[in-house]
Amino acid sequence: METEGGITVRRALELPGLRGGLPEVLTCADRLDRTVRWVHAGEAPNIPALLKGGELLLTTGLGIGSRPAEQRAFVRRLADRGIAALVVELGPRFGRLPSAIVEAARAAGLPLVQLHREVPFVAVTEEIHTEIVNGHYALLRRAEEVHRRCTQAVLGGGGVPQVLGILADFAGNPVFLETPDGRLLFAAGPGTGPAGTGPLQVWEGLRGARAARAAPPAGAVLVEVPGGGPGTGSVRARLVLLAVSGPLLTVHRMAAERAAGILAVVLMQARQEEELAARGRGDFLTDLAEGRIAPGDAPAQAGVLGFRPGGDPLLPVVMRLAPESAPSGSWALLARAVAEELAGVGAPVLVGVRPVEGRVPLLLALRPGTTRTALADRVAAALRAGADRAGLERPGDRTPSAVVVGDAGGWEAAGAGLRHAAEAATAAHGLGDRPWWDARRLDIDLLLWRLRDQPDLASFVERSVGPLLEHDRTARPALLPTLEAYLAHAGRKAEAARELHLNRQTLYNRLARIGELLGTDLDDPQSVLALSLALRARRHAG
């Protein structure tokens, strides 16, 4: 058993207090390296129920019982509680320990010691407790030394790899930092510093084992790094120490817990710096969109931010997050996740964030051989995956995020393209969930969105479709879905019927009823145009 920071039964018997009692080990001499967590002295028959495990019990045997069955049961209960050892002082109660006690201790694997001389139990307790406290204090000093070295490394400009390297050297085992969902962030092995082949191979083995077993490997130490994600009590990362080269002891866990506190600060600082950088890129893209940066100056400023598209056309993209999602989560994590998702695109990309507006603006280089549609598909998927990883978009959001892609062009058109995409992304909310929207196809919705607070727009909606909405509030079947499908298919009745899973006659009957309610001819192009605009306006006017 682990003995670090405590005292073994063997060491307790060597101390002056118990040594003066001439101790004789009667059973389990091979288990004297058990850890003594505490010392307890007592004579009550129910004393086993008072123990928690790891105690060295001192007694004269008054509570053990006089019958062999009682004695065996008493010893078994002590063994079941997990005590370290039973020490019985011979005297008035026992001149020698009965065979029932000795046999029960041997059968239970419990070290049993008899003292041939009387000793003061108070002095023995004080002596052993002092040793235990001193041992724990020594552990604290070793763990604090690791904490001091980690702090010095961070103050000297080091980061997560240096902290993990110090901890790995101290533990003599590989150390990993992973996300709460098990993705590897950093790794270090003893003597290797930052991640090398050895720890990464161990990690791959660990991941394979996790697929079949949810519990951590035997002997591993897991310590949570606090402070990430929504909520103050959530977990940012997890520190994992694996017992590969040797066992992990109490002092290693203590050192890991102290290192976790430093890592929390380092990650928080990195997150803040990362978010400031992402906001800075978002400010640049917004200034470009609003005309505060001249097209001729934009390439140089973008180059400072690491964006050098060369002479390729620029594709403006804007993601507008759901209003209820935007205040929570981590914008830095979103920007990083999107950049990682887009790493395989093979094109320069500049990603910024605008938390106040709930927007994520981007510029991408449209490389030769890549179509606008194909690149838009990749970007939209990366944006949604990044928002999901950052906790900024969740299933069931009442209004899903909207991704809008503008027209590709040079720096002269990039600002206007970003502005148009940003405005269209705002107007796209409430229009349904699709991977991405083409900004060119949202101009009517953008116009209607700008007029959403005008009383004339509300009056137009009421005049156009008010009777139909009133019908659907009081009668079934609802007819609005039929009108929406009919208009969506540009009056092609066969396609509308297929979408609604209706036979043609039923569709004709419903369209006739709609025409009666609205007093209009659904075959008239002007009437169809007015109804289409009214339904679009209704989405924006509420």
Side-chain angles (χ1 to χ4, degrees):
M1 293 181 63
E2 179 184 322
T3 60
E4 189 180 12
I7 180 174
T8 65
V9 176
R10 189 185 312 279
R11 173 59 181 160
L13 297 177
E14 293 171 351
L15 293 175
L18 285 178
R19 192 173 68 242
L22 300 179
E24 178 186 0
V25 179
L26 300 180
T27 64
C28 302
D30 59 334
R31 300 191 179 190
L32 298 183
D33 288 329
R34 283 185 165 187
T35 299
V36 176
R37 184 185 60 82
W38 207 239
V39 181
H40 194 88
E43 307 293 346
N46 68 332
I47 199 169
L50 306 178
L51 304 179
K52 297 181 179 179
E55 295 92 349
L56 187 144
L57 177 61
L58 302 173
T59 182
T60 62
L62 293 176
I64 293 181
S66 57
R67 292 182 297 178
E70 294 174 339
Q71 295 168 353
R72 284 192 290 268
F74 183 86
V75 173
R76 282 196 300 268
R77 290 200 302 272
L78 290 177
D80 290 342
R81 301 301 288 187
I83 71 168
L86 172 61
V87 178
V88 182
E89 182 184 83
L90 301 179
R93 180 66 182 88
F94 294 122
R96 57 175 297 178
L97 289 183
S99 60
I101 296 177
V102 177
E103 292 168 0
R106 183 178 293 111
L110 176 65
L112 175 64
V113 180
Q114 63 181 8
L115 301 179
H116 292 278
R117 288 183 181 174
E118 181 180 349
V119 297
F121 283 178
V122 172
V124 170
T125 300
E126 181 180 359
E127 188 176 49
I128 295 178
H129 284 175
T130 299
E131 285 278 314
I132 293 172
V133 171
N134 288 341
H136 281 291
Y137 179 67
L139 285 186
L140 286 172
R141 285 192 299 177
R142 294 178 62 193
E144 287 299 328
E145 174 60 19
V146 174
H147 183 271
R148 184 190 65 79
R149 291 173 55 202
C150 291
T151 302
Q152 286 183 337
V154 171
L155 293 177
V160 174
Q162 287 71 29
V163 172
L164 295 188
I166 292 171
L167 186 58
D169 287 341
F170 178 71
N173 281 293
V175 177
F176 307 92
L177 188 69
E178 64 178 25
T179 62
D181 60 358
R183 290 184 295 107
L184 179 63
L185 297 174
F186 297 92
T192 66
T197 303
L200 291 181
Q201 288 178 339
V202 172
W203 176 259
E204 290 300 325
L206 171 65
R207 289 174 63 181
R210 281 187 174 180
R213 184 181 67 248
V221 170
L222 279 71
V223 177
E224 293 180 345
V225 179
T232 57
S234 58
V235 177
R236 169 170 288 136
R238 186 165 48 233
L239 198 56
V240 182
L241 285 70
L242 296 181
V244 175
S245 303
L248 292 167
L249 306 176
T250 302
V251 68
H252 299 139
R253 172 174 287 280
M254 295 168 67
E257 290 171 347
R258 283 153 179 76
I262 295 177
L263 289 172
V265 176
V266 172
L267 292 176
M268 183 181 299
Q269 181 182 12
R271 182 75 56 86
Q272 291 172 344
E273 292 173 353
E274 196 171 3
E275 181 162 334
L276 285 175
R279 286 178 182 238
R281 296 190 296 270
D283 291 343
F284 165 76
L285 293 171
T286 300
D287 288 343
L288 180 64
E290 296 180 357
R292 290 190 288 270
I293 296 177
D297 298 332
Q301 295 189 33
V304 173
L305 297 174
F307 182 59
R308 299 176 180 86
D312 292 325
L314 303 176
L315 186 67
V317 180
V318 173
M319 181 182 198
R320 174 66 185 270
L321 292 164
E324 58 268 27
S325 298
S328 63
S330 168
W331 289 90
L333 181 57
L334 170 63
R336 186 198 321 148
V338 170
E340 291 173 355
E341 296 285 344
L342 290 174
V345 172
V349 58
L350 183 64
V351 184
V353 298
R354 294 285 292 181
V356 175
E357 297 93 345
R359 289 202 307 260
V360 183
L362 299 87
L363 275 181
L364 299 98
L366 185 58
R367 293 299 199 195
T370 303
T371 66
R372 174 177 177 269
T373 299
L375 184 57
D377 288 339
R378 296 284 300 275
V379 172
L383 283 167
R384 296 192 183 280
D388 180 65
R389 285 170 55 183
L392 288 167
E393 185 173 54
R394 296 174 295 275
D397 280 341
R398 185 169 49 85
T399 308
S401 301
V403 177
V404 174
V405 180
D407 286 328
W411 282 107
E412 296 77 10
L418 282 168
R419 181 171 62 255
H420 185 203
E423 292 174 342
T426 301
H429 272 290
L431 297 183
D433 189 14
R434 63 171 59 183
W436 59 277
W437 297 84
D438 190 329
R440 296 171 297 193
R441 302 188 62 182
L442 289 172
D443 283 340
I444 293 177
D445 288 285
L446 179 57
L447 175 62
L448 294 172
W449 181 81
R450 288 171 174 167
L451 297 173
R452 67 191 183 282
D453 295 327
Q454 296 295 322
D456 289 344
L457 187 65
S459 298
F460 168 65
V461 172
E462 178 60 29
R463 287 196 308 273
S464 299
V465 295
L468 181 62
L469 300 178
E470 181 61 30
H471 168 275
D472 285 359
R473 280 192 286 268
T474 58
R476 290 291 180 271
L479 297 177
L480 180 61
T482 300
L483 179 60
E484 290 175 332
Y486 176 74
L487 296 176
H489 291 285
R492 294 186 291 272
K493 297 175 182 177
E495 295 180 15
R498 279 195 297 270
E499 179 182 324
L500 295 169
H501 304 290
L502 299 175
N503 60 54
R504 289 194 180 188
Q505 189 58 51
T506 301
L507 177 67
Y508 296 159
N509 292 339
R510 290 189 182 184
L511 290 176
R513 178 60 176 153
I514 292 171
E516 293 174 5
L517 288 169
L518 300 181
T520 189
D521 181 3
L522 295 183
D523 291 323
D524 175 47
Q526 294 297 322
S527 298
V528 169
L529 174 60
L531 289 173
S532 297
L533 288 174
L535 291 182
R536 285 193 176 191
R538 177 174 174 267
R539 297 190 186 103
H540 299 294

